Amino acid sequence: MARTVLKFGGTSVGDLERIANVADIVADRAARGELMAVVVSAMAGETNKLVALAEGAAGQDLGRDLFHDEYDVIVASGEQVTAGLLALALRRRGLKARSWLGWQLRLKTDEAHGRARILGFENSGLPDSVDSGEIAVVAGFQGVTDDDRVATLGRGGSDTSAVAVAAALNATVCDIYTDVDGVYTTDPRMVPKARRIPKISYEEMLEMASLGAKVLQTRSVELAMNHNVPVRVLSSFLKPGEPNPGTLVCSEEEIVEKQVVSGVAYSRDEAKVTLYGVADKPGVSAKIFSALARAGVNVDMIVQANARGPERANMVFTCTDRDSPIAKQTLESMAADIGYEQLEVTRDVSKISIIGVGMKSHTGVAETMFTALYEKGINIDVISTSEIKISVLIAAPYTELAVRALHTAFGLDAV
Amino acid sequence: MARTVLKFGGTSVGDLERIANVADIVADRAARGELMAVVVSAMAGETNKLVALAEGAAGQDLGRDLFHDEYDVIVASGEQVTAGLLALALRRRGLKARSWLGWQLRLKTDEAHGRARILGFENSGLPDSVDSGEIAVVAGFQGVTDDDRVATLGRGGSDTSAVAVAAALNATVCDIYTDVDGVYTTDPRMVPKARRIPKISYEEMLEMASLGAKVLQTRSVELAMNHNVPVRVLSSFLKPGEPNPGTLVCSEEEIVEKQVVSGVAYSRDEAKVTLYGVADKPGVSAKIFSALARAGVNVDMIVQANARGPERANMVFTCTDRDSPIAKQTLESMAADIGYEQLEVTRDVSKISIIGVGMKSHTGVAETMFTALYEKGINIDVISTSEIKISVLIAAPYTELAVRALHTAFGLDAV
């Protein structure tokens, strides 16, 4: 019989009442004959509480990599509790169920405690248990290293756990139950006419996720794409039986009616850094961006333009607003070495992106985008593109205006 | 070098400040060259909170044995958190330390989830880790079953964990740090003249523990006696360096100056059940007490006396006050079968006991006891004795008077 994987996040298991609702959803699906693994996060707020305790015990030292193994021991307890509670709630409903912790699953990770990557599964009793009709309640977010220490996957890691379990079980679908009822064409809190997307490709979802649509953790989408696991985003706030179509994240081939543009994403956590009058000679760019990488600054868009003659160029790049002070400091410390004339950091900027696999085969998409923004009097500062995405940097106060204009221009408004 | 085991209970690790104090104590001992394993309980209040969650999820079903495996998954997380926190606090002080969970220790237990018994240790890296100078911070109260499920040892099980770890490490001493500074000749809250006992034998401690002096869990004392592990009860509320002699619990042979009576214990959780006019024929006692055992009633003292001719006897026994309604119900349901004339349950009674290995070789101890009580006008209801203990049942309002009188009569008052 077909195996399926369900995942419930922190707000979906936030208290005993919510856990009871999750148990009802699972029981309803069990009654339809599904063989299931259910992956759970810590109860909302628990992880923060555990992190605060760890910070209290370790002080500043908690920032050191060498302390992260014990941090993992502490925070992984949150998912352990939820897994036990849901197993109890399912048994109370007369179902066979048991909890599985990371070390029992033999979900192997690397040694990067606090942000470990999944290496794979060793043999465990999980597949047999699921096939016997026992519901496997899996503590998300956690695995075990080669030397049998607890490791966690980093914030949002339960999504990744769920997809990994789905891949290991060869599940037909991985259903991510969350506090929204699907992936939207844009942020519905900003644009009331935003529509739920019935199907979206892995590639589009990856761009959406990394551009600030925080429905699924990026790594979980990558993993799903690599293993071709269909992922469905559903609401956990509906009762069993209520229509809950959600959004299916799947391979492009399975989407018959391709939209040119599937969604409009935005991010306000942006800063623009401009270096005026950089010496235009080989090796300067490499020097700048390797220094920024060493400082932990994640550089996004990069534009270089000649300025005042061939020997000098202006260099523009963006990074997160949070990283911008580090970027400034790094560049100032190497001013003599690079030889620029002036450094400018603009922090009140936003990145607006349109995403769609249809772009690959359609022309005129950029033109439509730029025209729509021009008509609203919005100035474009920096542009970057990929095969399925066009991003522009604009002044932050125009964020909402730009998102709404593009949402309308690409025919995404609900009728 | 000598290995030692330290154990800190829930109030000793009740918050981050208390954990910091524990880390200071451990650091002080590490500076003296000790190789240590430190066993910790859950932070005070955590276990109750986790139990309440489990009850909320499972409802009435939590009482069923089959649900206790998941109960264990939930409650064991409390000790896991403390172990991680103390490991962090020790590292912050520049010490090598790591946490060990039940499954990492390979502390094997039977399958009696919620009140599991320790079967022993499988090979783990623990001894080598301790010998390398790394402080092992052990999550108490938990082990792992043969099929790799989490099991807990029942309330107070961390004492038992500590003694088991001490036995496995062949430690020279197992130091139980707690919220009192040792074992007293009687309850110091009741008798201000109570004195700390410097040394007490395992046998005496067992009688003290089972009679209501709740310093050490009974099973931990049994385990210490079986493996001849010296156990020291110390205060965790003192700063490192302050005098903290505590009480050493050890074998009788190591106690040179034996007291005739070492302590006076009392228990208020008592009830007396009297069956009047029971048919005095073979098999009746067996029938009564096997029915009570099946009902989970732990019977303590038993007295039988003939009454009104040879065919009828009066049967008197005691059990905990909490169990007395079950005892009553059980006996009423089998009234026809046993054939007694009347059933009486007296709940407002106390048990007072004097304990001392010296009794074995001294006469007149009972006489001294009964005289002391007689002089205070206290009536003795039931008497039971063992080789190192005499217990009497009295009316509860006389508890304090009796304890004080006996404490004085046996020369235990502080000067």
Side-chain angles (χ1 to χ4, degrees):
Chain A
M1 207 183 296
R3 299 160 172 170
T4 50
V5 172
L6 286 61
K7 182 256 168 181
F8 294 89
T11 53
S12 304
V13 293
D15 56 34
L16 287 170
E17 199 184 326
R18 303 284 313 129
I19 290 173
N21 187 54
V22 167
D24 289 339
I25 291 172
V26 174
D28 179 65
R29 293 183 61 161
R32 296 161 200 267
E34 287 185 51
L35 298 176
M36 280 176 287
V38 184
V39 179
V40 291
S41 299
M43 296 166 79
E46 274 306 305
T47 304
N48 288 342
K49 224 171 60 187
L50 293 165
V51 170
L53 280 175
E55 285 171 350
Q60 292 295 322
D61 285 333
L62 196 61
R64 294 169 57 193
D65 271 359
L66 285 172
F67 279 60
H68 292 171
D69 53 346
E70 297 299 340
Y71 169 91
D72 280 354
V73 170
I74 295 163
V75 296
S77 70
E79 281 72 16
Q80 175 168 338
V81 171
T82 319
L85 291 175
L86 181 56
L88 286 176
L90 290 170
R91 290 193 190 168
R92 187 184 191 176
R93 284 159 179 76
L95 296 165
K96 275 168 58 185
R98 68 155 279 195
S99 63
W100 291 84
L101 308 178
W103 60 273
Q104 292 169 329
L105 285 176
R106 309 303 306 156
L107 192 164
K108 301 301 291 284
T109 72
D110 62 17
E111 317 270 324
H113 286 282
R115 52 188 159 81
R117 292 190 78 90
I118 296 175
L119 301 177
F121 283 87
E122 285 178 0
N123 280 338
S124 79
L126 181 69
D128 287 346
S129 165
V130 170
D131 285 345
S132 79
E134 185 172 64
I135 297 164
V137 184
V138 174
F141 175 67
Q142 61 183 253
V144 67
T145 64
D146 262 343
D147 56 348
D148 259 355
R149 300 299 312 269
V150 175
T152 69
L153 308 178
R155 282 290 169 121
S158 292
D159 287 348
T160 310
S161 296
V163 173
V165 169
L169 288 178
N170 204 12
T172 52
V173 70
C174 178
D175 281 348
I176 309 282
Y177 283 86
T178 176
D179 50 2
V180 296
D181 69 346
V183 179
Y184 274 70
T185 49
T186 194
D187 181 352
R189 288 165 305 180
M190 180 183 277
V191 183
K193 285 185 174 172
R195 277 185 297 149
R196 184 178 51 77
I197 304 173
K199 279 188 183 186
I200 189 170
S201 70
Y202 296 121
E203 291 83 354
E204 289 169 311
M205 192 64 215
L206 273 176
E207 295 286 4
M208 298 283 262
S210 62
L211 290 169
K214 293 174 191 72
V215 179
L216 287 178
Q217 201 204 19
T218 307
R219 271 162 61 190
S220 71
V221 183
E222 286 170 0
L223 196 64
M225 183 164 72
N226 291 341
H227 291 87
N228 203 22
V229 175
V231 173
R232 203 159 45 171
V233 177
L234 298 167
S235 168
S236 72
F237 283 77
L238 298 171
K239 295 280 167 210
E242 290 187 73
N244 196 1
T247 294
L248 184 70
V249 187
C250 58
S251 71
E252 200 183 317
E253 295 78 52
E254 286 168 49
I255 303 174
V256 181
E257 255 192 279
K258 291 183 181 59
Q259 301 285 324
V260 177
V261 170
S262 299
V264 182
Y266 68 92
S267 161
R268 294 183 192 272
D269 180 23
E270 303 286 333
K272 182 179 74 158
V273 180
T274 309
L275 285 169
Y276 293 100
V278 179
D280 189 12
K281 58 185 180 191
V284 171
S285 301
K287 202 176 278 180
I288 292 171
F289 293 108
S290 61
L292 290 169
R294 274 196 308 275
V297 176
N298 208 341
V299 170
D300 181 17
M301 304 163 134
I302 301 175
V303 175
Q304 186 177 329
N306 284 349
R308 292 180 295 128
E311 299 88 30
R312 293 281 157 182
N314 293 342
M315 178 86 79
V316 180
F317 68 89
T318 66
C319 61
T320 62
D321 187 47
R322 204 163 49 112
D323 282 352
S324 64
I326 308 168
K328 184 161 185 271
Q329 197 185 350
T330 305
L331 294 170
E332 280 171 352
S333 74
M334 56 194 300
D337 196 20
I338 316 172
Y340 56 83
E341 288 166 0
Q342 198 196 328
L343 169 64
E344 186 183 85
V345 178
T346 313
R347 299 185 65 167
D348 200 25
V349 290
S350 282
K351 183 169 68 175
I352 317 291
S353 307
I354 54 170
I355 295 135
V357 284
M359 281 186 208
K360 293 182 190 176
S361 51
H362 278 73
T363 54
V365 177
E367 192 190 339
T368 305
M369 182 182 197
F370 301 155
T371 305
L373 295 174
Y374 168 75
E375 285 172 353
K376 297 289 180 190
I378 301 169
N379 194 38
I380 297 171
D381 210 351
V382 183
I383 300 169
S384 82
T385 60
S386 79
E387 217 182 9
I388 64 165
K389 178 197 73 174
I390 305 175
S391 299
V392 297
L393 201 73
I394 64 170
Y398 292 93
T399 307
E400 181 170 346
L401 187 64
V403 171
R404 284 179 181 253
L406 295 173
H407 201 262
T408 304
F410 288 101
L412 298 173
D413 288 353
V415 281
Chain B
M1 206 183 298
R3 300 160 172 169
T4 50
V5 173
L6 285 61
K7 183 257 169 179
F8 295 89
T11 52
S12 305
V13 294
D15 56 35
L16 288 169
E17 200 184 324
R18 303 284 313 130
I19 290 173
N21 187 53
V22 167
D24 289 339
I25 292 172
V26 174
D28 180 65
R29 294 184 60 160
R32 296 163 199 266
E34 287 184 50
L35 299 175
M36 279 176 286
V38 184
V39 179
V40 290
S41 299
M43 295 166 80
E46 274 306 306
T47 303
N48 288 342
K49 224 172 61 190
L50 293 165
V51 170
L53 280 174
E55 285 171 350
Q60 293 296 323
D61 285 334
L62 196 60
R64 294 168 56 192
D65 270 359
L66 285 171
F67 278 60
H68 291 170
D69 52 346
E70 297 299 341
Y71 169 92
D72 280 353
V73 170
I74 295 163
V75 297
S77 70
E79 281 72 17
Q80 175 167 340
V81 170
T82 320
L85 292 174
L86 181 57
L88 287 176
L90 290 171
R91 289 193 190 169
R92 187 184 193 176
R93 285 159 178 76
L95 297 166
K96 275 169 59 186
R98 68 154 282 197
S99 62
W100 291 84
L101 308 178
W103 60 273
Q104 293 169 328
L105 286 176
R106 309 302 305 154
L107 192 165
K108 300 302 289 289
T109 72
D110 63 17
E111 318 269 326
H113 287 283
R115 52 188 159 80
R117 292 190 78 90
I118 296 175
L119 301 178
F121 284 86
E122 284 177 359
N123 280 339
S124 79
L126 181 70
D128 286 347
S129 165
V130 169
D131 285 344
S132 78
E134 184 172 65
I135 297 163
V137 184
V138 173
F141 175 66
Q142 60 183 255
V144 67
T145 63
D146 263 342
D147 56 347
D148 258 356
R149 299 299 312 270
V150 175
T152 69
L153 309 179
R155 282 292 169 119
S158 292
D159 288 347
T160 310
S161 296
V163 173
V165 169
L169 288 177
N170 204 12
T172 52
V173 71
C174 177
D175 280 347
I176 309 282
Y177 283 87
T178 177
D179 49 3
V180 296
D181 69 347
V183 179
Y184 274 71
T185 49
T186 193
D187 182 353
R189 288 166 306 181
M190 180 184 278
V191 183
K193 286 185 174 173
R195 276 185 296 149
R196 184 178 50 76
I197 304 174
K199 279 189 183 185
I200 190 170
S201 69
Y202 297 121
E203 292 82 357
E204 288 169 310
M205 192 64 214
L206 273 176
E207 295 287 3
M208 298 283 261
S210 62
L211 289 169
K214 293 175 191 70
V215 178
L216 288 178
Q217 201 204 17
T218 307
R219 272 161 60 189
S220 69
V221 183
E222 286 170 0
L223 196 64
M225 184 165 71
N226 292 340
H227 290 87
N228 203 22
V229 175
V231 173
R232 203 159 44 171
V233 178
L234 299 167
S235 169
S236 72
F237 283 77
L238 297 170
K239 295 281 167 209
E242 289 187 74
N244 197 0
T247 294
L248 184 69
V249 187
C250 57
S251 70
E252 201 183 315
E253 295 78 51
E254 285 168 51
I255 303 174
V256 181
E257 255 190 281
K258 290 182 181 62
Q259 301 286 324
V260 178
V261 169
S262 298
V264 181
Y266 68 93
S267 161
R268 293 184 193 271
D269 181 24
E270 302 286 332
K272 182 180 75 161
V273 180
T274 309
L275 285 169
Y276 293 100
V278 179
D280 190 14
K281 57 185 179 189
V284 171
S285 300
K287 203 176 276 179
I288 292 172
F289 293 108
S290 61
L292 290 168
R294 275 196 308 275
V297 175
N298 209 340
V299 170
D300 182 16
M301 303 162 134
I302 302 175
V303 175
Q304 186 178 326
N306 282 350
R308 290 181 295 126
E311 300 87 30
R312 293 280 158 183
N314 293 342
M315 178 88 76
V316 179
F317 68 89
T318 67
C319 60
T320 63
D321 187 47
R322 205 163 49 111
D323 283 352
S324 65
I326 308 168
K328 184 160 186 272
Q329 199 184 346
T330 305
L331 293 171
E332 280 171 352
S333 73
M334 56 196 297
D337 197 18
I338 316 173
Y340 56 81
E341 287 166 1
Q342 198 195 329
L343 169 64
E344 186 182 84
V345 178
T346 312
R347 299 184 65 168
D348 200 25
V349 289
S350 283
K351 183 170 66 175
I352 317 291
S353 308
I354 55 170
I355 295 137
V357 284
M359 281 186 210
K360 292 183 191 176
S361 50
H362 279 72
T363 52
V365 178
E367 190 191 341
T368 305
M369 182 182 197
F370 301 155
T371 304
L373 295 173
Y374 169 75
E375 284 172 353
K376 297 289 178 191
I378 301 167
N379 194 37
I380 298 171
D381 210 351
V382 182
I383 300 169
S384 82
T385 61
S386 79
E387 215 181 10
I388 64 165
K389 179 198 72 175
I390 306 174
S391 299
V392 297
L393 202 72
I394 63 170
Y398 292 94
T399 307
E400 183 171 343
L401 186 64
V403 171
R404 283 178 182 253
L406 295 173
H407 200 262
T408 305
F410 287 101
L412 298 172
D413 289 354
V415 280

